[in-house]
């Protein structure tokens, strides 16, 4: 689809640096670009900005790709896919930067600068002591004779290439899709470095070359890049390229109102994956950190997000990362899963609880039946291991000390009577080994022993599940072998009551 404001096909990109894991803020930026492209029938491009040779590694690139795939953010062009505008790694695009620099030289918008770092530092230090402070590079080399400059370059003198900002340039103005009309005075823009002494491009130069050559129509990114935008517009103009539509996203803050960081907990997509959050829930949650469908709807399925997302619903207000809300939302998505989906998604934690791949293959229906036991009780999938560990103990039971003290050993509780009575009923093969018949049979003890149902069932729960807080009791018992349940009760009676 074409963007009506610029009459250009919609092409957007997410361009992470492979210097670490995919941060939550970066993930939200990726989601907005992806959703906008899908809603507009456009193209979503993944581009890797690997210009930091020390920190940009293949391992980090794979981490980012895995995170994008786990989130379900499929890209139309980029690594592993290719495309007509590749390559999609900056370090493989150095020829395009060299070509762009030659264009700027020919158009009179680039000049060599031979000022050393020491000279520039001294000038900065002196300027900062004067009224008005440092105002940027003083353009010492801008007026150098071209032939003299060429001779110095030919002699091997170290130099950078700077952008020649036109003296008569008026305010740099643009319409931001989020912030509205913005204006920056051009006279405060110094002649920025385009290419360093070692020949590598600076960020602002490389990103403009890439976006222009890939025909990017919209640049959707964090507002920490807002100060770069007027500089980049100057480069677009100097190269003669059309300027894309910019949309700058507000910051994500922690509950304390400060920028989200590790002190607030997990900050990367990988960490949230490992903690048992579902990709659909995380995408839904992050999409709402700065955008809304209608100001009311909270649970937004992917098909709605990818058909209804629009930049005019993105707010300038900083978003607050509320993990309590994320937990609630994740629980909603867990309850919407099918048993089969839950088993597949929960495999790491089922294995931790005691499951094996062979056992899952041998009795798949048993594993599907575990889902109703915990579906209403899970906030994150990583809770599965603790909540279902008792289902893998076999004839053994691991008794929780607090539960024993509060339920079994409590004076006057008559827990031993309740347990022995329940054991006799559960040993009766005349009672069907199914949830309702077993529960009703044990309920008769409330009258026989003249005890409240809680005082009958709680001791049984501790004896079978090890804890007074566990998933539904008789639904669990139905899924366990009769001999294992009886063995657990016998062990509990022996340990707590001495046989």
């Amino acid at each position: 689809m074409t963007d009506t404001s610029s009459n250009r096909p919609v092409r957007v990109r997410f361009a992470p640096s492979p210097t670490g894991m995919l941060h939550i803020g970066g993930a939200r930026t990726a989601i907005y670009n992806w959703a906008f492209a899908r809603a507009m029938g456009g193209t979503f491009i993944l581009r890797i900005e690997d210009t930091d040779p020390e920190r940009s590694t293949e391992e980090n690139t794979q981490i980012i790709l895995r995170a994008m795939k786990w989130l379900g953010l499929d890209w139309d062009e980029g690594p592993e896919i290719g495309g007509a505008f590749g390559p999609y790694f900056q370090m493989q695009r150095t020829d395009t930067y060299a070509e762009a620099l030659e264009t700027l030289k020919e158009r009179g918008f680039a000049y060599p600068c031979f000022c050393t770092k020491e000279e520039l530092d001294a000038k900065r230090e002196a300027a900062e002591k004067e009224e008005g402070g440092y105002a940027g590079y003083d353009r010492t080399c801008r007026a150098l004779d071209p032939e003299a400059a060429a001779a110095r370059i030919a002699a091997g003198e170290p130099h950078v290439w700077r952008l020649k900002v036109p003296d008569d340039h008026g305010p740099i103005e643009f319409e931001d899709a989020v912030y509205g009309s913005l204006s920056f005075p051009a006279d405060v823009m110094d002649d920025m470095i385009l290419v360093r002494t070692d020949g590598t491009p600076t960020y602002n130069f490389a990103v403009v070359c890439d976006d222009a050559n890939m025909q990017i129509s919209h640049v959707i990114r964090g507002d920490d890049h807002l100060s770069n935008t007027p500089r980049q517009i100057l480069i677009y103009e100097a190269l003669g390229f059309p300027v894309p539509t910019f949309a700058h996203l507000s910051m994500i803050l922690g509950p304390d109102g400060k920028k989200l960081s590790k002190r607030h907990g997990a900050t990367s997509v990988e960490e949230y994956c490992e903690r048992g959050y579902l990709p659909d829930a995380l995408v839904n949650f992050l999409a709402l950190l700065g955008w809304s469908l209608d100001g009311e709807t909270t649970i937004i399925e992917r098909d709605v997000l990818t058909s209804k997302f629009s930049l005019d619903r993105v707010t300038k207000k900083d978003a607050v990362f509320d993990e309590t809300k994320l937990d609630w939302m994740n629980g909603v998505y867990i309850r919407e899963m099918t048993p089969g989906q839950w088993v597949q998604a929960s495999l790491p934690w089922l294995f931790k609880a005691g499951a094996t791949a062979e056992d899952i293959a041998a009795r798949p229906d048993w594993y599907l039946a575990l889902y109703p036991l915990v579906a209403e009780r899970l906030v994150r999938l990583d809770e599965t291991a603790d909540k279902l560990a008792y289902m893998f103990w076999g004839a053994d039971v691991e008794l929780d000390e607090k539960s024993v003290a509060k339920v079994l050993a409590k004076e006057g509780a008559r827990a031993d009577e309740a347990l022995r009575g329940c054991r006799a009923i559960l040993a009766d093969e005349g009672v069907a080994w199914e949830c309702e018949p077993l529960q009703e049979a044990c309920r008769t003890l409330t009258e026989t022993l003249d005890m409240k149902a809680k005082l009958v069932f709680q001791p049984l729960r501790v004896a079978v599940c090890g804890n007074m807080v566990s998933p539904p009791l008789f639904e669990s018992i139905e899924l366990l072998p009769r001999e294992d349940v009886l063995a657990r009760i016998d062990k509990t009676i022996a340990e707590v009551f001495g046989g």
Side-chain angles (χ1 to χ4, degrees), residues 129-188:
K129 293 177 181 178
E130 299 176 1
E131 187 177 348
Y134 180 68
Y137 176 60
D138 64 3
R139 298 178 172 176
T140 298
C141 295
R142 181 162 168 157
L144 288 177
D145 175 71
E147 290 186 8
R152 293 171 69 174
I153 292 173
E157 186 172 346
H159 62 284
V160 299
W161 285 92
R162 291 184 180 271
L163 178 73
K164 183 184 287 188
V165 178
D167 291 323
D168 58 352
H169 198 296
I172 303 164
E173 300 175 336
F174 63 97
E175 191 73 20
D176 190 278
V178 176
Y179 283 85
S181 298
L182 295 175
S183 177
F184 295 81
D187 57 7
V188 301

Side-chain angles (χ1 to χ4, degrees), residues 209-283:
C209 293
D210 291 342
D211 286 346
N213 289 328
M214 292 182 180
Q215 299 182 12
I216 300 301
S217 64
H218 296 72
V219 175
I220 305 170
R221 60 188 181 186
D223 64 5
D224 53 326
H225 284 287
L226 191 55
S227 62
N228 286 324
T229 303
R231 300 174 184 278
Q232 292 173 7
I233 288 175
L234 289 172
I235 299 174
Y236 277 107
E237 292 175 348
L239 286 169
F241 289 130
V243 178
T245 298
F246 289 95
H248 289 92
L249 312 175
S250 62
M251 292 177 64
I252 300 178
L253 307 178
D256 58 0
K258 297 180 180 179
K259 186 177 179 181
L260 190 68
S261 66
K262 286 191 177 295
R263 69 175 177 274
H264 296 111
T267 59
S268 73
V269 170
E270 195 166 54
E271 287 174 296
Y272 281 93
C273 172
E274 291 171 352
R275 291 175 63 195
Y277 288 93
L278 295 170
D280 284 350
L282 191 58
V283 167

Side-chain angles (χ1 to χ4, degrees), residues 18-150:
T19 55
M21 295 181 179
L22 180 57
H23 188 274
I24 285 298
R28 182 190 63 169
T29 299
I31 290 167
Y32 281 19
N33 277 280
W34 170 78
F36 181 69
R38 296 292 172 261
M40 297 295 291
T43 302
F44 175 52
I45 299 159
L46 178 61
R47 185 175 74 222
I48 303 298
E49 298 191 341
D50 56 347
T51 51
D52 185 336
E54 293 183 2
R55 299 172 61 208
S56 296
T57 66
E58 173 61 23
E59 181 183 359
N60 286 336
T61 297
Q62 291 304 316
I63 287 173
I64 289 173
L65 297 185
R66 284 199 301 270
M68 292 287 287
K69 292 174 184 176
W70 181 78
L71 287 169
L73 306 181
D74 55 318
W75 54 96
D76 304 303
E77 297 177 21
E80 300 181 354
I81 293 177
F85 296 84
Y88 296 91
F89 291 81
Q90 278 191 333
M91 289 303 292
Q92 298 173 17
R93 300 180 61 83
T94 53
D95 58 329
T96 64
Y97 310 137
E99 183 180 336
L101 180 61
E102 291 305 314
T103 298
L104 292 177
K105 292 178 189 177
E106 293 168 5
R107 296 168 66 98
F109 283 109
Y111 66 92
C113 173
F114 301 91
C115 297
T116 65
K117 181 179 184 301
E118 291 73 22
E119 290 172 337
L120 294 174
D121 288 344
K123 289 180 180 181
R124 178 190 293 271
E125 187 177 342
E128 287 176 344
K129 293 177 181 178
E130 299 176 1
E131 187 177 348
Y134 180 68
Y137 176 60
D138 64 3
R139 298 178 172 176
T140 298
C141 295
R142 181 162 168 157
L144 288 177
D145 175 71
E147 290 186 8

